[in-house]
Amino acid sequence: MIDLSKIRYRVVVLDEFKNQYNIKDYIYNLGWEENENEIAVRISFTAKNDNTSKGYLSNLIKPGCLVGIFATADSFDEEVARGYVETWNPVEKNSGDSLKCTCYDELYKLQKSQDNRYYASGTGTKSAIQGILDDWEIPQEDDYQGPNATHGKTVCNNKYLSDIILDFLDDAEKKGYEKCIIRAVKGRVGIIPRGSNKDVYVFRRDNTQSFSQTVSTANLITRVKVVGQADDEGKSSVEATLNGLTDYGIRQRIYTRGSDETLSDAKSAAQEILDNDGKIEKEMSVQSPDVPFIRKGDLVYIISGAVSDYYYVKSIQHNADTYNMVMNLELAQTETVSSSSESTKKDYNVGDVVYFHGGTHYVSSYPDSKGYTAGAGNAKITIKDGSGKAHPWHLIHTDSESNVYGWVDDGTFD
């Protein structure tokens, strides 16, 4: 256990000649953030533009330089954010010169780049995303942990690459795969399931500065209408209507069935829209002492006078000057799906390839996590949770026979 009161920050810059310098003693207004509608980490700081033994900082730190933030405590030293200098702003004043910098990580290229792309029907999520990362020469994690759904024909014209990736992940979720996020860790980009962090931090009234809870029906979808392709006159026929919480009135979303998509698949996608957007939003804003290791997409646990539940981090801002952070959270609990499988404990370990019998895989190991149906087939054990969770094994299918990709119960494989 790390004592958060002892955490200090170290900031390292890598200059154009690959030399490393610790500049923490020269900077202030240091912070980094991950925002809800962005995929890149944003770092900002102001440096005293002093004449050091290596020259003025504005000559040392230049556009394109790599900056890394490390959290240290005792012998612990972990990188928590990195980015390349995108905005370089030296300021000269009588009271002293300064240098303001804004940095973004590897994913910033995708946020700022548009492209025209065509994906034939049957394209998999993995090949679509990895193709973009390869074309933009972005280093990737060796182990792909994201979904691999089969998508219909997709045409992208003048579309930002970050939006293309997010759309593929969203479509995979609509097809029954768990929600995943894209993020960079230590210079390598990966696709990971939301809430897959091993350490889940607990925030209570005695260790948190403020909780602010919001319950809203403003974005509630209560009906999804499935329509077919338009005819020559531009008319579309209604093929199915799915209702949700219509007690709150009719708030309708249209889902257009693809030309190569079956009605059954279209209805499943429409139901997924109701599952995701057809529930009352329960969100939380938390201000607390900084935990620099928490990132967007992580799972946290909140205990306050009003709630006691798991939440996903939608966005987060870290402030290294005040040692504070602000998190915007989304309730993780959706529905409880029980498994009828008998629990049979055996000695399995991470890396073992097993045969999954088919059934339910869950978005997390917790008892209130949402579950989806997965087919039988071979899978690899990627996480073994020995802390007594309801769904203690994380499996990823090793071939196309099964689509299992999530947390499963004891006794569901051998």
Side-chain angles (χ1 to χ4, degrees), residues 326-359:
V326 176
M327 298 184 293
N328 293 314
L329 310 175
E330 174 187 356
L331 184 66
Q333 183 178 8
T334 52
E335 61 180 302
T336 301
V337 182
S338 61
S339 173
S340 59
S341 303
E342 295 291 330
S343 294
T344 305
K345 293 184 179 296
K346 294 183 180 180
D347 186 20
Y348 295 106
N349 294 295
V350 172
D352 289 349
V353 176
V354 297
Y355 186 83
F356 178 63
H357 299 156

Side-chain angles (χ1 to χ4, degrees), residues 100-400:
K100 298 179 180 179
C101 291
T102 304
C103 316
Y104 293 90
D105 68 16
E106 289 75 8
L107 291 172
Y108 190 62
K109 300 175 185 176
L110 305 184
Q111 284 184 195
K112 304 301 289 185
S113 299
Q114 292 179 320
D115 202 9
N116 295 328
R117 291 190 165 237
Y118 171 84
Y119 298 94
S121 177
T123 300
T125 317
K126 179 179 179 180
S127 64
I129 293 176
Q130 289 188 336
I132 292 174
L133 297 176
D134 287 340
D135 290 347
W136 258 251
E137 300 181 348
I138 297 177
Q140 302 174 46
E141 296 283 3
D142 294 333
D143 184 19
Y144 178 84
Q145 300 181 52
N148 199 19
T150 299
H151 303 274
K153 183 178 72 174
T154 304
V155 180
C156 305
N157 291 322
N158 304 333
K159 195 167 185 177
Y160 285 100
L161 293 171
S162 56
D163 292 336
I164 296 176
I165 292 175
L166 293 177
D167 285 349
F168 272 114
L169 293 177
D170 181 65
D171 190 50
E173 184 186 359
K174 287 182 172 63
K175 289 177 166 57
Y177 288 79
E178 61 186 313
K179 185 176 183 65
C180 291
I181 61 173
I182 179 172
R183 69 184 183 191
V185 179
K186 298 180 181 178
R188 303 183 72 85
V189 170
I191 310 294
I192 63 171
R194 183 177 62 165
S196 59
N197 49 302
K198 185 176 181 181
D199 295 322
V200 177
Y201 289 90
V202 178
F203 295 87
R204 306 182 305 269
R205 294 191 65 173
D206 61 351
N207 67 1
T208 304
Q209 295 162 337
S210 69
F211 297 103
S212 176
Q213 185 184 19
T214 301
V215 178
S216 174
T217 62
N219 298 316
L220 185 66
I221 301 300
T222 66
R223 173 178 290 172
V224 179
K225 185 178 290 185
V226 179
V227 302
Q229 295 288 310
D231 59 20
D232 293 339
E233 296 181 354
K235 298 179 181 179
S236 301
S237 60
V238 178
E239 299 181 335
T241 301
L242 286 73
N243 289 320
L245 299 176
T246 53
D247 292 346
Y248 292 90
I250 304 302
R251 306 179 187 186
Q252 184 169 281
R253 178 78 59 83
I254 299 296
Y255 182 87
T256 303
R257 180 169 66 89
S259 58
D260 54 355
E261 184 179 20
T262 66
L263 179 57
S264 176
D265 287 342
K267 291 172 68 176
S268 296
Q271 183 60 52
E272 194 66 27
I273 292 174
L274 278 181
D275 291 343
N276 291 332
D277 302 327
K279 57 181 181 289
I280 298 173
E281 293 180 350
K282 296 182 179 180
E283 300 181 347
M284 177 82 68
S285 178
V286 174
Q287 183 175 357
S288 76
D290 190 29
V291 184
F293 321 105
I294 295 179
R295 298 200 57 179
K296 184 173 76 172
D298 283 355
L299 194 70
V300 297
Y301 195 79
I302 303 297
I303 302 175
S304 72
V307 300
S308 178
D309 225 323
Y310 291 99
Y311 284 78
Y312 293 119
V313 178
K314 294 178 62 178
S315 65
I316 186 167
Q317 297 83 38
H318 301 269
N319 189 320
D321 282 13
T322 61
Y323 289 86
N324 282 340
M325 69 177 183
V326 176
M327 298 184 293
N328 293 314
L329 310 175
E330 174 187 356
L331 184 66
Q333 183 178 8
T334 52
E335 61 180 302
T336 301
V337 182
S338 61
S339 173
S340 59
S341 303
E342 295 291 330
S343 294
T344 305
K345 293 184 179 296
K346 294 183 180 180
D347 186 20
Y348 295 106
N349 294 295
V350 172
D352 289 349
V353 176
V354 297
Y355 186 83
F356 178 63
H357 299 156
T360 303
H361 58 168
Y362 299 85
V363 300
S364 78
S365 60
Y366 298 93
D368 56 356
S369 60
K370 189 173 183 178
Y372 301 96
T373 300
N378 293 324
K380 179 183 288 189
I381 299 174
T382 58
I383 304 176
K384 177 181 180 180
D385 193 328
S387 58
K389 299 288 175 43
H391 320 296
W393 305 93
H394 191 272
L395 302 184
I396 298 179
H397 60 88
T398 58
D399 53 38
S400 59

